[in-house]
């Protein structure tokens, strides 16, 4: 029997979101229904609403979530009703070439629930990133659920489901930041700040935050930045070099997603350094670089996809570090809001006033 719950729908391109009654089916084989306790508001939800991702309206928004498993379908063994879980949008298949080669974070065949949630009139909903967690309950593939310590606040835990994991993972998984490294992070929104927190966790000696907004640089300091550079007031490449004895940083993390900042990241690294690209460019963006610079500078250029995370490995570890006071995930929660407040939260996010607004149920 499908259950009726309240969920937040993006009905059409650029139309305001609204709370509607939706139908959540019982879980089929390999699926789970999760009672959502908290879900963060992310730029990607806004992009769905604006039609920037695809045109499969209506969307059921929300994807940075934590909650309690209510029921599971046949064949589900990894999670059980009552488990406290963080949801992820890349449930790996375990069978593709990437998975079999031991690099499941590059899985080619991630999956979501087979069944569809619908509106009362039967219209099928497209859940954001295969999750749809601005809802009292949602239907996901069981592999999208990762059990974590139930003592942690759901508002904090849910953030690992997307942006915060992307940033921390860019530093610790993709960038492999090590003790004593110098790290520069270009762009200090939620993702860049998480990269700073990840670099601190990994033992970086110098963490240089770069942004065009002094307010963002102030917050970056609280996340672990040891130096700040406002790139409105000078060349950030020069500034990063000056702060690293002329060498450039061992790891430069780009968390904006624009050609000029990609270029800055490329030139701000040490000759043997690593550039990590976590900012997502738009399809029309191009970058031109002298090939001799690409050839002659060694090092590596890596993109980071969802922080190259493995949820079953990384979520419980990061929650444990948070619980021990070694990683302050709570610093990313600017405010908690209700399910009816998401449209206004999009406005505050767009104006750069919040790191994360989190809907609590
Ligand atoms: N130089 C430096 N910083 C910049 C520049 C620039 N030219 N342009 C913008 N910024 C800063 C903004 O001031 C802001 O602090 O980059 C930050 C971007 O932060 P958000 O808009 O909050 O975005 P965030 O959620 O952190 O995501 C950043 O990572 O995962 C991707 O899709 C995501 O591309 C996006 C990026
Ligand atoms: Zn796979
Ligand atoms: Zn997100």
């Amino acid at each position: 029997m499908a259950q009726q719950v309240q969920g937040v729908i993006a009905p059409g391109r650029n139309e305001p979101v609204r709370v509607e009654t939706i139908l959540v089916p019982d879980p089929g084989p390999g699926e789970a229904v999760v009672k959502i306790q908290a879900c963060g508001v992310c730029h990607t939800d806004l992009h769905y609403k604006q039609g920037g991702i695809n045109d499969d309206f209506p969307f059921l928004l929300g994807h940075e979530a934590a909650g309690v498993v209510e029921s599971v379908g046949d064949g589900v063994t990894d999670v059980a009703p009552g488990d406290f879980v963080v949801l992820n949008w890349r449930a790996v298949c375990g069978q593709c070439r990437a998975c079999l080669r031991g690099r499941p974070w590059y899985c080619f065949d991630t999956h979501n629930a087979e069944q569809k949630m619908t509106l009362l009139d039967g219209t099928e909903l497209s859940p954001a990133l295969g999750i749809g967690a601005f809802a009292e309950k949602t239907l996901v593939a069981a592999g999208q659920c990762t059990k974590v310590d139930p003592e942690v606040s759901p508002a904090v835990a849910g953030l690992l489901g997307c942006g915060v994991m992307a940033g921390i993972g860019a530093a610790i998984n993709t960038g492999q930041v090590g003790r004593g490294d110098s790290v520069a992070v270009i762009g200090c929104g939620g993702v860049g700040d998480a990269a700073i927190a990840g670099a601190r966790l990994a033992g970086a000696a110098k963490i240089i935050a770069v942004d065009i907004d002094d307010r963002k640089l102030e917050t970056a300091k609280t996340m672990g930045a040891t130096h700040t550079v406002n790139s409105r007031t000078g060349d950030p490449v020069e500034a990063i070099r000056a702060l690293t004895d002329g060498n450039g940083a061992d790891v430069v993390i780009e968390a904006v997603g624009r050609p000029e900042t990609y270029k800055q990241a490329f030139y701000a690294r040490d000759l043997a350094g690593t550039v990590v690209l976590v900012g997502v460019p738009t399809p029309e963006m191009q970058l031109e670089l002298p090939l001799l610079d690409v050839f002659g500078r060694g090092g590596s250029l890596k993109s980071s996809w969802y922080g190259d995370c493995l949820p079953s490995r990384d979520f419980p570890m990061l929650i444990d570090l948070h619980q021990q006071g070694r990683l302050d995930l709570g610093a990313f929660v600017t405010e908690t809001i209700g399910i009816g407040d998401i449209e206004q939260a999009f406005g505050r996010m767009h104006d750069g006033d919040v790191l994360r607004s989190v809907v609590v149920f």
Side-chain angles (χ1 to χ4, degrees):
M1 257 281 285
Q3 307 186 56
Q4 295 191 9
V5 303
Q6 300 295 102
V8 176
I9 306 300
R13 190 176 276 258
N14 280 322
E15 287 176 37
V17 300
R18 57 175 186 251
V19 179
E20 295 239 9
T21 302
I22 64 168
L23 289 172
V24 180
D26 286 342
E31 294 176 343
V33 168
V34 179
K35 194 167 184 302
I36 302 298
Q37 294 177 313
C39 181
V41 181
C42 173
H43 282 87
T44 303
D45 295 304
L46 181 59
H47 292 158
Y48 272 112
K49 173 191 127 132
Q50 294 168 333
I53 296 188
N54 60 51
D55 262 324
D56 298 338
F57 291 100
F59 292 106
L60 175 61
L61 297 180
H63 60 274
E64 302 191 341
V68 174
V69 175
E70 181 185 76
S71 53
V72 297
D74 287 345
V76 174
T77 51
D78 287 348
V79 288
D83 284 347
F84 178 64
V85 294
V86 175
L87 300 183
N88 76 78
W89 43 272
R90 281 181 65 76
V92 299
C93 77
Q95 279 151 26
C96 71
R97 184 162 185 271
C99 284
L100 292 176
R101 295 180 88 204
R103 298 190 294 186
W105 44 92
Y106 295 140
C107 177
F108 304 117
D109 190 23
T110 59
H111 51 280
N112 306 125
E114 295 266 323
Q115 299 182 88
K116 294 287 181 192
M117 293 178 275
T118 65
L119 294 174
L120 286 179
D121 68 4
T123 306
E124 287 189 355
L125 295 167
S126 305
L129 293 175
I131 294 180
F134 288 146
E136 294 164 309
K137 295 178 186 179
T138 194
L139 175 77
V140 291
Q144 292 180 265
C145 302
T146 305
K147 256 175 95 162
V148 299
D149 180 354
E151 295 298 315
V152 71
S153 131
V156 163
L159 296 187
L160 289 178
C162 182
V164 170
M165 185 68 244
I168 296 177
I172 66 175
N173 292 333
T174 319
Q176 300 272 307
V177 171
R179 190 169 62 237
D181 278 355
S182 56
V183 177
V185 176
I186 303 178
C188 302
V191 174
D193 278 345
I196 290 169
R200 170 157 74 179
L201 194 61
K206 209 169 263 177
I207 304 176
I208 305 163
V210 182
D211 206 289
I212 50 175
D213 180 340
D214 282 329
R215 291 176 309 164
K216 301 295 180 130
L217 293 172
E218 283 309 308
T219 313
K221 280 190 210 163
T222 69
M223 298 290 177
T226 57
H227 300 78
T228 60
V229 172
N230 187 324
S231 47
R232 277 245 159 87
T233 56
D235 177 4
V237 175
E238 289 302 316
I240 292 167
R241 291 198 165 281
L243 288 166
T244 52
D245 303 323
N247 297 314
D250 295 311
V251 181
V252 185
I253 300 171
E254 199 281 358
V256 184
R258 300 191 51 79
E260 63 272 25
T261 44
Y262 265 51
K263 197 164 184 173
Q264 289 162 5
F266 180 76
Y267 283 107
R269 80 175 200 282
D270 179 85
L271 283 177
T274 303
V275 178
V276 177
L277 306 171
V278 59
V280 182
T282 56
E284 68 281 2
M285 287 177 179
Q286 307 275 331
L287 178 61
E288 227 177 87
L289 287 173
L291 275 187
L292 202 54
D293 286 354
V294 179
F295 173 75
R297 299 179 62 82
S300 66
L301 191 62
K302 293 164 130 180
S303 60
S304 183
W305 187 230
Y306 198 179
D308 291 344
C309 78
L310 192 53
S312 55
R313 176 193 66 190
D314 295 341
F315 291 0
M317 169 190 71
L318 294 172
I319 296 283
D320 286 348
L321 290 170
H322 169 77
Q323 294 294 73
Q324 294 161 9
R326 295 159 69 190
L327 169 69
D328 183 10
L329 294 173
F332 292 89
V333 182
T334 311
E335 57 176 7
T336 55
I337 61 173
I339 195 174
D341 305 328
I342 291 172
E343 192 63 44
Q344 294 86 328
F346 279 146
R348 288 192 292 279
M349 185 179 71
H350 184 262
D351 296 340
D353 293 339
V354 295
L355 276 180
R356 277 296 185 267
S357 306
V358 179
V359 176
V360 289
F361 292 87

